[in-house]
């Protein structure tokens, strides 16, 4: 099976998903959401797959966010349809461990995508953040609730209110990534970790994931709903249209 926005490699016991739109720093568009949703469903039903590793194509980014050229057109009902939020929930619910191998930028929806995974490994070039406030929106696909539970309410609020982008050392310090590796070694480190996990009792690992998800997810659905409602409101503001248009115009001006 070939995809427009992804490549899938099957290894001995796990699958690697490469987010593959390097010309726009692997920004998540609707095609990627649809393709990823399909792939996750297929892999969840594949008995040979007991783990997933996600990586971004190219050296500059894991994912630099949702695709702003599509976001600028989004309306209230799109937020309520929970397009990215639904995909990230599906990834969080994947029955086996998931690891993000992050080189370069993981911003906005890219940061939220990594938050839906069990473990994040970084490279020295890793830079993460939730810059949505610069665009007149919020991280509406799990940022507020997943970031809060991972790095704590104070740091989550600072990141989301200021939109600042932090480097790998800071990501490590606050627990956004578990380890820092040299960039060219991040993927190999993820594979080594996956192989370690695959040597354990697979039944125990699977049950552990259910227990770990249950331990942190108690308020999830309600906070997710609030995120979608808020985002829906922001998608209909002039401020959002102006800020996103400015980003896109700056990009065209560079050409
Ligand atoms: N959506 C759509 N396109 C994006 C994108 C996004 N989220 N992030 C980057 N791109 C595109 C750029 O427009 C550019 O395309 P072009 O070559 O056709 O002009 C290309 O990816 C390379 O990005 P560029 O901005 O030239 O790289 P840079 O090194 O100067 O800056 C970033 C990198 C990540 C700081 C900058 O691209 C950026 O701020 N991106 C948006 C991040 C963001 O706000 N994400 C949250 C969205 S929810």
């Amino acid at each position: 099976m070939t995809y427009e926005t992804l490549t899938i490699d099957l290894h001995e016991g796990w699958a690697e998903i490469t987010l593959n739109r390097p010309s726009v720093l692997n920004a998540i568009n609707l095609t990627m959401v649809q393709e990823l949703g399909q792939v996750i469903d297929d892999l969840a039903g594949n008995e040979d797959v007991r783990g997933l590793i996600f990586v971004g194509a190219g050296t500059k980014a894991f994912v630099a966010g949702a695709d702003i050229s599509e976001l600028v057109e989004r309306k209230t009902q799109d937020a309520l349809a929970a397009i990215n939020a639904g995909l990230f929930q599906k990834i969080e619910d994947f029955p086996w461990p998931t690891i993000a191998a992050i080189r370069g930028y993981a911003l906005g929806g890219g940061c939220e995508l990594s938050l839906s995974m069990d473990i994040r490994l970084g490279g020295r070039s890793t830079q993460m953040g939730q810059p949505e406030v610069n665009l007149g929106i919020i991280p509406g696909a799990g940022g507020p609730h997943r970031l809060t539970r991972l790095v704590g309410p104070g740091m989550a609020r600072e990141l989301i209110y200021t939109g600042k982008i932090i480097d790998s050392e800071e990501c490590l310090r606050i627990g956004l990534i578990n380890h820092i590796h040299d960039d060219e070694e991040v993927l190999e480190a993820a594979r080594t970790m996956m192989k370690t996990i695959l040597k354990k009792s697979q039944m125990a690992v699977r049950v552990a994931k259910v227990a770990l998800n249950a331990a942190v997810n108690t308020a999830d659905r309600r906070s997710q709903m609030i995120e979608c409602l808020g985002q829906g409101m922001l998608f209909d503001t002039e401020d959002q249209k102006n800020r996103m248009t400015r980003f896109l115009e700056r990009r065209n001006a560079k050409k």
Side-chain angles (χ1 to χ4, degrees), residues 23-25 27 60 64 66-68 105 107 131 247 251 254-255:
S23 64
V24 286
L25 307 186
K60 260 190 97 175
D67 192 315
I68 297 168
Y105 295 110
L107 302 177
F247 175 87
R251 159 182 160 174
K254 277 200 293 180
K255 286 184 178 155

Side-chain angles (χ1 to χ4, degrees), residues 21 24 27-30 65-74 135 240 244-245 247-249 251-252 255:
R21 301 185 73 216
V24 286
I28 303 172
N29 64 358
L30 277 175
D67 192 315
I68 297 168
S69 65
E70 287 187 356
L71 271 189
V72 71
E73 305 294 344
R74 293 251 169 109
L135 299 168
Q240 177 258 357
M244 290 194 182
T245 305
F247 175 87
L248 296 169
E249 282 172 356
R251 159 182 160 174
N252 286 336
K255 286 184 178 155

